[in-house]
Amino acid sequence: MLMAHPAVLRNLLERYDALQLQARTDAVDPYVHRQLQDVAYTLCVSTGTRDIGAALIAAREQTRPIPTDPRTPTVVG
């Protein structure tokens, strides 16, 4: 399965969160709701899921920083 770049997923997550907040405060604007639906759909497609709850979990998992082992040497050069 193809995986979206983490930067793309982070951008989608930020956009979704902002639109979600805006949709709660501005319930009469259909444009905001349409944008929210579009971002939710894009998140689902980007993560290979069928509902926004699963898409959010998958996107957050894929954008989580990978812990590094301090004992692992860093190659410079």
Side-chain angles (χ1 to χ4, degrees), residues 5-57:
H5 193 278
V8 171
L9 291 175
R10 273 191 292 279
N11 184 17
L12 288 169
L13 286 169
E14 289 172 7
R15 185 79 180 127
Y16 181 83
D17 290 340
L19 286 167
Q20 188 80 330
L21 182 62
Q22 194 174 357
R24 286 188 197 132
T25 59
D26 191 10
V28 295
D29 189 356
Y31 182 70
V32 171
H33 290 286
R34 181 66 194 152
Q35 285 184 316
L36 185 58
Q37 289 175 340
D38 289 345
V39 173
Y41 173 79
T42 304
L43 273 166
C44 287
V45 170
S46 299
T47 57
T49 59
R50 291 181 181 244
D51 67 85
I52 189 59
L56 291 170
I57 291 168

Side-chain angles (χ1 to χ4, degrees), residues 64-70:
R64 188 181 67 208
I66 299 170
T68 57
D69 186 349

